[in-house]
Amino acid sequence: MGNNLVQNIIIAVIWIVAAPILGGILSGIDRKITARMQNRFGPPIMQPFYDFFKLLGKERITVNQTQMVYVMGHLFFAIASLVMLVLKQDLLMLMFILAFSTVSLIMGAMSVRSPYSKIGAQREIIQMMAYEPVLILMVVGVYLTTKSFMISSVFSESTGPLLYNLPLVFFAFLYVLTIKLRKSPFDFSTSHHGHQELIKGLTTEFSGPQLALIELTHWYDLIILLGLITLFFAKPIWVGIIIALVSYFLELVIDNISARVTWRWMIKATWLIGIGAAMINIVWLYLKMKV
Amino acid sequence: MNEYLLLTVAILLPAFSALLCYALRNKAVRSFIVVLTSLAMFGVAGGFVNLLLASGGTLKIGVDAHIIGWVIKVLDLLLMGYILYIGFTLRKYLVVVLTFLQLIPLILFEGGLLFGTPHESEIAFVIDYLSLIMILLVSIIGPIITIFATGYMEEHEHHLGLKKSKQPRFFMILFIFLAAMNALVMTDNISWMYFFWEVTTLCSFLLISHDGNSESVKNALRALWINLSGGVAFISAIIAIYSVYGSLSITEIIEKTKTGGFVGIIPLAIGLLCFAGFTKSAQFPFQSWLLGAMVAPTPVSALLHSSTMVKAGVYLVVRFAPAYANTMLANIVAVVGAFTFLAGSAIAISQSNGKRVLAYSTIANLGLIICCAGIGSKVAIGAAILLMIFHAVSKGLLFLCVGTIEQEIGSRDIEDMQGLAKRMPFTTFVIVVGMISMLLPPFGVLITKWLAIEASVNSPLVLLCIVLGSAFTVVFWSKWIGIILTMSYKNSYKAEKLDFSVRSALSLLLVGALAASVLIMPLYNIFIAPHINSLNLADKAAGLAGSNGGVWLQGVGNITTGGFAAIPVFLLLFALMLLIPYFMRKTKAERIKPPYLCGENVDNDVRGLQFISPADKVDVVVVRNYYLTGMFGEGNLTLWCNALAGAIILVMFGVVI
Amino acid sequence: MGVISKSRKKSPWVIHYDCTSCNGCDIETLACLTPMYDVERFGIINVGNPKHADVLVVTGSVNKRNVRVLKNIYNQMPEPKAVVAVGACACTGGIFKECYNVLGGVENVLPVDVFVPGCCPRPEAIIDGIVLAMDKLDEKAKKMKEEKKKANQSVKV
């Protein structure tokens, strides 16, 4: 048991260090591919790291004393859910903690009397309302296939790849991935191209080191989400990783070919398509189980 | 002997204090009585815990059922008479009709005209862990709210400008309410339970109409007739059950239904009991009375929502859960609860009145409790009981906070609470902890949601309602927390001045909310797990532990059993969250900059409250929450939700007939 | 500080403020973002928010009405920061210099680090100016640090 604990701690530490490096490189590749798709040359792959360190070196400015607290919450709870993922813990709790991480950022954005950051926060809340049910339904789908909420059960001998049983849930998950990564057509809480109606939405009032930590959290988030995709094809794991990377590429394509939608449209579409697809999948699994 | 003493104190002491409060009209004396009674009730709660743990699960207390039975019969008639009087004087004939519908069967039944004089068991009080938890809620949260009320009502009457204080009457009813609740959860005699049930109905009427203006009387009457209709269902159920089993003992009834007695008229009777529970705990379509009850002074709302009244309804449903477990009735009860959870949470999004948000959230949470009771597996019942505890503590706390804030800022609108952290740092801290405890890990309410989702995976419809509903709860809570924590820079904070009673009540409940969450594991293992085991449920799915939540509850410390969410880890994260920024500021202070307003900030305004609009006019920056009324508006949804919920209840009766 | 100093030179985020420009310089500035010139090669991003920006690019001459906004935006930028005046008007006031309402070039109001002359300047020139500003930015940061060290030492003495 003690041995096990040490091993777990080592795994956790390795991932806590490795995830932002991987995440940063992936977002560098993201920017490069996006640039190539737009017929541009694009920044160096290491650009996200340059941005990160530059931001760390900036002067610390703030609007009130509490902003940094929320940024810390955003970061720590993202790390906590990453650790839960790599230690193969309860998937449902992982989703709750991941949600907490987002709520913390929303609180930070709302703690400031700034119109832009407030509206960004409201939009982020609406986004959460749209994607959170789908994430939980995905967890339920995993339960119905493996009879357990533990991620470790996905890796156990007796279960085949989840993708065979959960194709529609997988589709729904890809759908909400676009929202979760704040990619077009659902990038309306931060509007990630400058000079738009929301300035920078959620992150308007964060600057310097605060913004750097938010960026860092974003890399963690990216790795967690890609890790969750990997679960759909956990054995052999390299197939899962390829599927995750292909899905990420797909997100980039969608990001580049679509314009931003309104939040009403997003809620309706996500509930109809996302929840609809996931529910259909769950109902058929349920009926299959009954027989 | 000890248990008799405790029993007497638990029921008669509040009743006695009620009379004292009414008789002695001096404020200081009243406060003294309130504090003394509260301490005694805390003691009683502790005594029961000791006694029950020593006795190993159930405490059976025999009394002279004959004499007490007669006393209760007489009081029953007096009560009905008083309600009739109310109905006639206020010309609400629906109340009169509903009272007669109860009075006639009651007289026929108790008078022995139907089945001869009903046999009343000698063992009239049976206390098990479920009762114990209810006793703890009633005798700890109830008195704390009463203490709060001593300070609050003074201020309240000051606002109203009353000449003659109505406080003696107010405190009398509060204490009677607590006495009735204590008795209701302890008794094993279903007809006595019915009496206490009606007492709470009457008390809630009197309390809601306390301010005496036309709106409060109107809302109080609505509460009265809706709850009376539940009472009609209750008395019909009692008669139906007695006609088959010839017994009034709840334990015996549940035992018989479990061992093959769930046939004939019994399903209908149990369905009627559930119906009574729905009305009392304000499930859709009966939610309107609880919303109307918001006109009452805050301690009343707090009491109705947290430990008494609505909890009586869910107590009944949870108490009888083993009787109807694994039947079609149970499935539909689960759907009713889950639907209420969904509808309540959805409408709460569109509300900007703080008290109404709390009310809808209460309705939703009660729905979740009832849903868990309906699912009826061991994990689900465990979740239901846990949620009863956490909801009671947190909601009591939140209502008291909103009341305090309302007296300070003169509004209960969420938008007006912006920047509250600067005006009332202490209350802000308390209310934020209260709200976080309804929403986020590692607090208990989230854990119960976790359990509820785990328990409901085998019924897709219920699952969908819970999943959507919990997404909605995130929306309205985080909007509210965000508004309260909105603040501009301020150098130093000083706690606001509050009445001592108010401050102590808030602090006590805050400690309670934190303690319940930190001690969730012992709470579950010592009080709830043995109760669920003693029910001997034939579980559909997993055992007591369930798949994860339960396992986690049994071994929080164990990092490899899904228990990463261990409370120490969360505490560590919270501490880091607060300490790192604190020390960063200590080593080198950040520079304060105003919020970005497109460069149009007014000079020297660090807080960013104003901007320069066209033609050099100085305007105020207004930031508001989204309420999505187009989608979740009360006016849009209520009718459809009521219709749908009514349909589900009709289906329920169709199934059991 | 090696990493941060290196990163600073590779990631200047720009906020662009149009004072009283005839829009010629603005068009050329935005042309830098197009695939033709692609400033993201140098890590330059056009952000809309002074709190995220390192370099303030100003086009057009400053007048009495917009000087307040310009100063406000400059003040909201966190240190270290640089100002690039793009175009003849921003450098000197240009043909509007003698107008009754014009205060002249940006340097009358803010400390300008790089002047990019031209009416209007070519995108290459603007990019060159911003790249120059990056070096200035780093120098500034180092100078600030030394000054702070000196200040600390003098306090100790």
Side-chain angles (χ1 to χ4, degrees):
Chain A
M1 189 63 221
N3 206 3
N4 209 348
L5 186 70
V6 173
Q7 200 188 342
N8 279 344
I9 291 176
I10 292 173
I11 294 177
V13 170
I14 289 176
W15 271 101
I16 289 174
V17 177
I21 298 176
L22 287 175
I25 293 174
L26 275 176
S27 20
I29 296 174
D30 169 357
R31 283 173 72 171
K32 194 85 184 171
I33 292 177
T34 303
R36 296 306 304 163
M37 283 180 190
Q38 294 167 357
N39 211 3
R40 290 190 286 119
F41 186 74
I45 301 281
M46 301 302 273
Q47 187 62 40
F49 296 103
Y50 297 142
D51 292 348
F52 175 75
F53 285 112
K54 176 205 73 178
L55 287 170
L56 272 190
K58 296 282 281 189
E59 179 195 27
R60 287 191 291 129
I61 61 171
T62 189
V63 180
N64 63 36
Q65 296 106 316
T66 54
Q67 274 181 302
M68 197 63 179
V69 176
Y70 303 113
V71 174
M72 289 287 165
H74 185 45
L75 174 64
F76 289 153
F77 283 90
I79 294 179
S81 47
L82 176 79
V83 171
M84 287 188 75
L85 179 66
V86 295
L87 296 186
K88 299 172 186 168
Q89 299 292 308
D90 187 301
L91 199 51
L92 194 51
M93 203 62 193
L94 186 150
M95 292 299 180
F96 285 145
I97 292 178
L98 200 57
F100 185 18
S101 165
T102 315
V103 168
S104 185
L105 182 64
I106 293 173
M107 291 300 115
M110 282 186 82
S111 78
V112 182
R113 270 189 69 98
S114 158
Y116 302 104
S117 113
K118 280 258 185 195
I119 295 176
Q122 300 292 326
R123 290 187 178 182
E124 183 74 22
I125 293 178
I126 292 170
Q127 288 189 349
M128 272 190 88
M129 182 167 80
Y131 68 66
E132 207 56 26
V134 180
L135 291 185
I136 295 178
L137 287 177
M138 170 212 157
V139 177
V140 173
V142 173
Y143 174 87
L144 287 175
T145 344
T146 66
K147 294 284 162 283
S148 165
F149 284 101
M150 294 296 276
I151 298 174
S152 53
S153 68
V154 176
F155 290 89
S156 74
E157 292 294 318
S158 53
T159 35
L162 297 178
L163 195 55
Y164 296 162
N165 278 321
L166 301 169
L168 288 180
V169 169
F170 179 71
F171 166 75
F173 188 76
L174 281 191
Y175 190 96
V176 298
L177 190 67
T178 323
I179 309 178
K180 199 80 183 103
L181 292 174
R182 305 201 184 100
K183 295 270 187 207
S184 232
F186 305 126
D187 59 338
F188 56 58
S189 73
T190 53
S191 65
H192 65 194
H193 303 293
H195 286 306
Q196 296 192 357
E197 87 282 13
L198 264 191
I199 313 299
K200 206 52 180 149
L202 208 55
T203 55
T204 302
E205 299 298 334
F206 296 106
S207 66
Q210 295 168 344
L211 193 63
L213 293 181
I214 292 175
E215 202 54 35
L216 183 68
T217 317
H218 192 67
W219 299 341
Y220 276 114
D221 274 350
L222 181 60
I223 294 299
I224 294 167
L225 291 169
L226 294 184
L228 289 175
I229 296 182
T230 313
L231 291 185
F232 280 97
F233 214 113
K235 281 177 312 182
I237 190 100
W238 57 269
V239 180
I241 292 172
I242 290 175
I243 291 179
L245 292 177
V246 170
S247 313
Y248 189 53
F249 181 73
L250 200 65
E251 292 301 328
L252 298 187
V253 176
I254 294 170
D255 185 29
N256 275 294
I257 60 171
S258 52
R260 191 135 52 100
V261 298
T262 63
W263 64 263
R264 274 173 218 281
W265 197 92
M266 184 202 68
I267 289 191
K268 281 174 191 155
T270 312
W271 282 355
L272 199 69
I273 302 172
I275 298 184
M279 267 322 274
I280 290 170
N281 205 156
I282 282 170
V283 167
W284 97 45
L285 282 179
Y286 168 75
L287 293 177
K288 219 158 95 181
M289 226 169 49
K290 277 220 143 173
V291 175
Chain B
M1 195 55 224
N2 203 354
E3 63 256 33
Y4 286 103
L5 179 69
L6 282 178
L7 186 73
T8 325
V9 175
I11 300 171
L12 293 185
L13 174 76
F16 181 64
S17 307
L19 293 178
L20 277 183
C21 278
Y22 194 63
L24 308 170
R25 308 186 75 87
N26 182 309
K27 178 176 183 282
V29 175
R30 188 168 55 239
S31 303
F32 182 68
I33 297 172
V34 167
V35 172
L36 214 59
T37 316
S38 303
L39 291 177
M41 285 180 83
F42 293 161
V44 168
F48 272 120
V49 172
N50 262 335
L51 217 57
L52 199 64
L53 287 181
S55 75
T58 37
L59 207 59
K60 294 185 174 158
I61 307 174
V63 292
D64 190 343
H66 195 65
I67 296 174
I68 299 182
W70 270 109
V71 172
I72 286 183
K73 273 171 205 169
V74 172
L75 288 175
D76 237 342
L77 288 179
L78 286 175
L79 181 80
M80 289 296 161
Y82 187 61
I83 296 179
L84 274 181
Y85 166 75
I86 292 171
F88 276 118
T89 46
L90 295 174
R91 292 165 198 275
K92 183 82 176 178
Y93 296 107
L94 187 57
V95 169
V96 176
V97 171
L98 285 170
T99 318
F100 271 116
L101 278 181
Q102 290 182 59
L103 196 55
I104 296 166
L106 184 71
I107 293 172
L108 289 178
F109 178 64
E110 296 285 0
L113 298 172
L114 281 179
F115 315 106
T117 315
H119 167 73
E120 285 177 343
S121 161
E122 286 294 311
I123 299 173
F125 292 93
V126 173
I127 297 168
D128 58 3
Y129 284 109
L130 179 60
S131 308
L132 177 72
I133 285 166
M134 287 300 294
I135 294 172
L136 287 176
L137 294 182
V138 174
S139 322
I140 293 180
I141 300 174
I144 292 178
I145 293 172
T146 326
I147 292 177
F148 174 87
T150 55
Y152 181 90
M153 289 311 287
E154 202 62 33
E155 183 85 17
H156 181 73
E157 299 207 325
H158 181 71
H159 274 288
L160 288 181
L162 289 188
K163 284 213 179 65
K164 186 165 175 283
S165 171
K166 284 166 81 182
Q167 285 190 53
R169 175 175 174 274
F170 183 76
F171 281 93
M172 176 180 78
I173 305 170
L174 277 191
F175 276 125
I176 292 179
F177 209 144
L178 293 183
M181 272 308 287
N182 257 342
L184 189 152
V185 299
M186 285 193 260
T187 179
D188 191 47
N189 184 328
I190 196 166
S191 77
W192 295 9
M193 191 181 191
Y194 164 74
F195 165 68
F196 297 121
W197 183 272
E198 292 302 288
V199 174
T200 60
T201 300
L202 178 64
C203 285
S204 68
F205 168 81
L206 294 173
L207 286 173
I208 296 170
S209 64
H210 178 75
D211 280 349
N213 51 37
S214 64
E215 195 195 359
S216 61
V217 172
K218 193 181 120 220
N219 290 342
L221 276 175
R222 185 173 338 133
L224 188 62
W225 78 255
I226 289 180
N227 280 303
L228 282 177
S229 65
V232 175
F234 203 133
I235 186 78
S236 324
I238 293 176
I239 296 175
I241 290 173
Y242 193 81
S243 73
V244 179
Y245 293 154
S247 164
L248 288 173
S249 156
I250 295 174
T251 332
E252 218 169 294
I253 294 167
I254 294 175
E255 210 45 56
K256 281 188 177 160
T257 46
K258 258 169 35 183
T259 50
F262 199 74
V263 284
I265 200 172
I266 290 297
L268 177 62
I270 304 281
L272 283 170
L273 281 180
C274 290
F275 178 85
F278 295 163
T279 56
K280 189 134 272 201
S281 50
Q283 298 298 288
F284 275 78
F286 308 112
Q287 83 284 17
S288 60
W289 77 260
L290 194 61
L291 295 166
M294 289 302 119
V295 297
T298 296
V300 176
S301 325
L303 204 61
L304 291 183
H305 281 258
S306 64
S307 54
T308 61
M309 196 65 184
V310 295
K311 286 289 185 300
V314 291
Y315 169 75
L316 185 69
V317 176
V318 172
R319 167 63 73 199
F320 279 89
Y324 57 83
N326 296 332
T327 61
M328 202 31 134
L329 174 65
N331 291 341
I332 297 176
V333 168
V335 173
V336 171
F339 180 74
T340 301
F341 180 59
L342 172 63
S345 309
I347 298 180
I349 293 177
S350 69
Q351 300 299 310
S352 72
N353 177 332
K355 266 189 153 186
R356 282 182 88 85
V357 174
L358 291 183
Y360 272 114
S361 149
T362 300
I363 294 166
N365 276 297
L366 296 171
L368 193 55
I369 297 173
I370 286 179
C371 168
C372 286
I375 294 169
S377 64
K378 288 177 177 172
V379 193
I381 303 268
I385 301 175
L386 275 177
L387 190 54
M388 277 159 81
I389 302 172
F390 292 121
H391 177 256
V393 182
S394 300
K395 248 329 141 35
L397 182 65
L398 287 175
F399 267 108
L400 297 191
C401 284
V402 171
T404 315
I405 292 169
E406 190 186 353
Q407 285 195 334
E408 172 76 20
I409 67 172
S411 162
R412 48 173 80 160
D413 195 293
I414 290 176
E415 295 297 332
D416 294 333
M417 294 183 193
Q418 215 166 75
L420 196 70
K422 286 171 100 169
R423 282 179 74 175
M424 312 177 74
F426 172 74
T427 319
T428 304
F429 173 72
V430 178
I431 195 173
V432 167
V433 171
M435 283 196 245
I436 288 178
S437 74
M438 292 295 296
L439 176 66
L440 294 174
F443 288 98
V445 176
L446 185 98
I447 308 290
T448 55
K449 232 178 258 169
W450 184 24
L451 291 171
I453 292 176
E454 293 201 2
S456 66
V457 283
N458 290 319
S459 31
L461 184 60
V462 174
L463 174 77
L464 182 65
C465 289
I466 296 183
V467 166
L468 277 177
S470 41
F472 294 154
T473 47
V474 176
V475 176
F476 66 83
W477 286 125
S478 44
K479 277 196 312 185
W480 194 352
I481 301 177
I483 281 283
I484 286 187
L485 289 177
T486 299
M487 52 189 233
S488 39
Y489 182 78
K490 191 183 179 187
N491 252 333
S492 62
Y493 288 87
K494 233 177 88 194
E496 68 276 21
K497 268 182 80 170
L498 288 175
D499 194 275
F500 177 73
S501 62
V502 171
R503 185 184 296 269
S504 51
L506 290 182
S507 311
L508 279 175
L509 274 179
L510 179 71
V511 171
L514 293 175
S517 290
V518 172
L519 300 177
I520 180 169
M521 187 178 61
L523 193 68
Y524 181 78
N525 288 333
I526 297 173
F527 295 122
I528 297 173
H531 175 73
I532 304 166
N533 276 331
S534 71
L535 296 179
N536 288 325
L537 286 170
D539 221 338
K540 281 181 279 196
L544 170 63
S547 39
N548 281 342
V551 176
W552 177 77
L553 282 171
Q554 286 175 335
V556 172
N558 197 345
I559 211 161
T560 48
T561 49
F564 179 77
I567 279 145
V569 178
F570 275 103
L571 290 182
L572 181 71
L573 290 184
F574 276 123
L576 285 178
M577 236 174 105
L578 292 170
L579 288 180
I580 293 180
Y582 178 76
F583 282 113
M584 279 170 79
R585 182 169 307 113
K586 278 279 156 192
T587 48
K588 183 169 174 272
E590 297 130 317
R591 190 184 306 190
I592 305 297
K593 296 263 163 109
Y596 178 63
L597 297 173
C598 289
E600 296 285 6
N601 300 57
V602 174
D603 288 341
N604 305 325
D605 176 20
V606 196
R607 301 189 288 164
L609 298 180
Q610 291 173 322
F611 71 102
I612 299 176
S613 67
D616 286 346
K617 212 173 97 211
V618 174
D619 261 334
V620 179
V621 178
V622 178
V623 280
R624 278 180 65 89
N625 272 341
Y626 285 9
Y627 287 98
L628 314 185
T629 34
M631 207 174 265
F632 299 109
E634 209 172 12
N636 305 349
L637 288 186
T638 305
L639 178 67
W640 294 106
C641 288
N642 282 349
L644 210 53
I648 299 171
I649 288 177
L650 281 183
V651 169
M652 180 179 96
F653 281 118
V655 166
V656 289
I657 283 173
Chain C
M1 272 298 161
V3 187
I4 289 180
S5 164
K6 192 180 167 203
S7 306
R8 207 174 267 140
K9 289 183 191 166
K10 295 201 174 214
S11 150
W13 289 2
V14 166
I15 178 166
H16 164 211
Y17 183 68
D18 171 1
C19 272
T20 326
S21 164
C22 67
N23 281 5
C25 295
D26 302 317
I27 290 169
E28 297 304 321
T29 308
L30 292 183
C32 300
L33 302 175
T34 56
M36 177 86 171
Y37 299 101
D38 185 27
V39 283
E40 208 189 354
R41 276 180 299 160
F42 308 105
I44 300 174
I45 295 180
N46 182 20
V47 294
N49 180 357
K51 296 197 170 185
H52 294 180
D54 307 293
V55 179
L56 173 61
V57 171
V58 188
T59 54
S61 57
V62 185
N63 65 26
K64 286 176 184 166
R65 295 222 25 108
N66 61 27
V67 61
R68 177 175 52 78
V69 177
L70 181 63
K71 274 185 176 169
N72 184 291
I73 287 180
Y74 179 76
N75 284 337
Q76 288 207 337
M77 290 167 64
E79 299 281 351
K81 54 192 171 187
V83 180
V84 178
V86 169
C89 302
C91 292
T92 63
I95 57 165
F96 302 107
K97 189 169 186 196
E98 301 299 330
C99 280
Y100 67 95
N101 61 337
V102 168
L103 298 173
V106 180
E107 64 175 330
N108 295 340
V109 187
L110 301 176
V112 177
D113 296 276
V114 180
F115 294 92
V116 182
C119 182
C120 35
R122 298 178 59 83
E124 291 93 330
I126 299 175
I127 296 173
D128 193 36
I130 294 173
V131 172
L132 262 175
M134 297 177 199
D135 292 332
K136 286 251 185 181
L137 203 69
D138 197 38
E139 269 170 38
K140 261 192 187 176
K142 278 178 186 152
K143 209 184 268 175
M144 264 168 54
K145 218 180 147 196
E146 271 166 26
E147 271 170 20
K148 215 173 117 193
K149 236 184 224 165
K150 263 184 207 162
N152 280 348
Q153 274 168 357
S154 62
V155 166
K156 273 175 201 161
V157 170

